[in-house]
């Protein structure tokens, strides 16, 4: 979904499938575009919107609010056949020459390094909401990266995981837990991380925490993909509740509470 100055931009298609869009905006000194990513077709809409505004109102400043940063997972290439989609996406965003590009809880520092005029907002306020809602005794971070990113956002005891992964298949085979392990038994745990696809990482984390005696387990993720329904996380009894934002999540579930950005 794309908004310009809080107005949702609707579009249709010509019979051949190409874009048909109208932007009946009056001249303004500045425009704020809000892009809540749903699919890659929206990127072309964004290009057309920005080019139209610049042609009609050349002196206007344009900011981009993009909570979820698309392609951030492809933040490195290892082989010659790997396509560095994040870099090329960043090239397009830079070409559009926004005054500011504001993202939330970017998956990788590479993402923010590649984009000009970027502001990366911390999710502390939303983590605090999750903490207030479930009152955990201990925080848990699925890996060392999450621990380094989020441990300073809440003054609480925490533990974190070290994944055992089959690098040939990418499958998680197990998890070691370090940190305040002795505080996990009979405690309420809040898992904190940035992004969830099918939830495999959090499923395995929750299984390990239950083995260590956790009483209740909750999950906060800033960006929850709709593909969470394809995994085992919501159908299992491991997680009491999932907290997320509306950055990319567009569905509903009795276990999922969505915080509005």
């Amino acid at each position: 979904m794309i908004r310009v100055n809080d107005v949702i931009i609707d579009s249709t298609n010509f019979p051949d499938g190409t874009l048909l869009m109208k932007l009946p905006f009056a001249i303004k000194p500045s425009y704020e575009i809000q892009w809540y990513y749903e699919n890659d077709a929206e990127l072309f809409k964004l290009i057309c919107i920005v080019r139209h505004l610049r042609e009609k109102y050349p002196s206007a400043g344009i900011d981009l609010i993009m909570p979820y940063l698309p392609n951030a997972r492809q933040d490195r290439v290892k082989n010659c056949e790997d396509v560095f989609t994040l870099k090329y996406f960043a090239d397009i965003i830079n070409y559009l020459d926004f005054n500011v590009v504001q993202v939330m809880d970017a998956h990788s520092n590479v993402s923010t390094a590649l984009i000009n005029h970027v502001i990366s907002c911390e999710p502390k306020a939303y983590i605090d909401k999750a903490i207030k809602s479930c009152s955990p005794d201990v925080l848990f971070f699925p890996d060392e990266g999450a621990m380094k990113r989020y441990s300073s956002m809440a003054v609480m005891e925490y533990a974190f995981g070290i994944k055992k992964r089959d690098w040939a298949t990418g499958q998680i085979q197990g998890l070691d837990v370090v940190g305040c392990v002795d505080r996990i038994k009979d405690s309420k745990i809040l898992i904190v991380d940035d992004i969830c696809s099918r939830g495999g990482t959090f499923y395995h984390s929750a299984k390990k925490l239950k083995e260590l005696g956790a009483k209740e387990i909750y999950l906060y993720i800033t960006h929850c993909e709709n593909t969470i329904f394809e995994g085992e996380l919501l159908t299992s009894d491991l997680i009491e509740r999932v907290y997320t934002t509306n950055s990319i999540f567009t569905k509903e579930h009795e276990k999922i509470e969505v915080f509005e950005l």
Side-chain angles (χ1 to χ4, degrees), residues 113-213:
L114 289 171
I115 295 177
N116 298 336
H117 313 300
V118 70
I119 296 174
S120 184
C121 300
E122 291 185 343
K124 183 181 186 308
Y126 306 102
I127 295 173
D128 287 345
K129 282 187 177 183
I131 290 172
K132 184 177 180 180
S133 178
C134 67
S135 301
D137 303 301
V138 181
L139 298 182
F140 180 78
F141 308 110
D143 53 43
E144 190 174 4
M147 181 271 291
K148 291 178 179 178
R149 181 181 300 179
Y150 303 113
S151 59
S152 62
M153 296 185 194
V155 183
M156 294 182 62
E157 293 182 304
Y158 65 84
F160 65 94
I162 299 175
K163 298 174 189 174
K164 298 175 183 177
R165 191 185 294 273
D166 183 340
W167 292 106
T169 64
Q171 296 297 311
I172 299 171
Q173 297 180 319
L175 192 77
D176 290 331
V177 177
V178 297
C180 297
V181 182
D182 59 334
R183 290 284 287 114
I184 291 174
K185 187 175 181 181
D186 298 324
S187 293
K188 294 167 69 174
I189 312 294
L190 175 63
I191 303 172
V192 178
D193 208 354
D194 63 332
I195 191 167
C196 173
S197 293
R198 293 174 178 82
T201 292
F202 309 114
Y203 178 81
H204 287 285
S205 296
K207 280 184 68 177
K208 184 64 176 183
L209 291 169
K210 283 291 187 180
E211 290 174 10
L212 293 172

Side-chain angles (χ1 to χ4, degrees), residues 223-239:
H223 309 293
C224 182
E225 299 178 16
N226 292 329
T227 49
I228 190 173
F229 292 98
E230 298 174 14
E232 300 176 88
L233 194 64
L234 296 176
T235 56
S236 74
D237 59 358
L238 295 171
I239 299 287

Side-chain angles (χ1 to χ4, degrees), residues 39-167:
N39 54 63
D40 281 348
E42 292 174 329
L43 180 57
F44 182 62
K45 293 182 183 180
L46 178 68
I47 294 169
C48 292
I49 289 168
V50 174
R51 290 299 304 273
H52 174 84
L53 293 177
R54 293 209 186 282
E55 287 186 7
K56 300 300 180 184
Y57 323 116
S59 63
I62 305 177
D63 295 342
L64 176 64
I65 310 299
M66 180 174 57
Y68 175 71
L69 207 164
N71 301 288
R73 280 197 177 91
Q74 189 66 30
D75 60 355
R76 72 200 73 182
V77 292
K78 294 181 179 179
N79 304 302
C80 62
E81 65 266 23
D82 295 337
V83 179
F84 199 175
T85 53
L86 173 61
K87 181 180 185 300
Y88 307 137
F89 173 81
D91 287 345
I92 294 171
I93 297 299
N94 292 339
Y95 161 76
L96 295 174
D97 194 25
F98 295 103
N99 288 351
V100 169
V101 178
Q102 181 177 303
V103 301
M104 169 70 73
D105 201 6
H107 182 65
S108 166
N109 290 336
V110 176
S111 307
T112 51
L114 289 171
I115 295 177
N116 298 336
H117 313 300
V118 70
I119 296 174
S120 184
C121 300
E122 291 185 343
K124 183 181 186 308
Y126 306 102
I127 295 173
D128 287 345
K129 282 187 177 183
I131 290 172
K132 184 177 180 180
S133 178
C134 67
S135 301
D137 303 301
V138 181
L139 298 182
F140 180 78
F141 308 110
D143 53 43
E144 190 174 4
M147 181 271 291
K148 291 178 179 178
R149 181 181 300 179
Y150 303 113
S151 59
S152 62
M153 296 185 194
V155 183
M156 294 182 62
E157 293 182 304
Y158 65 84
F160 65 94
I162 299 175
K163 298 174 189 174
K164 298 175 183 177
R165 191 185 294 273
D166 183 340
W167 292 106

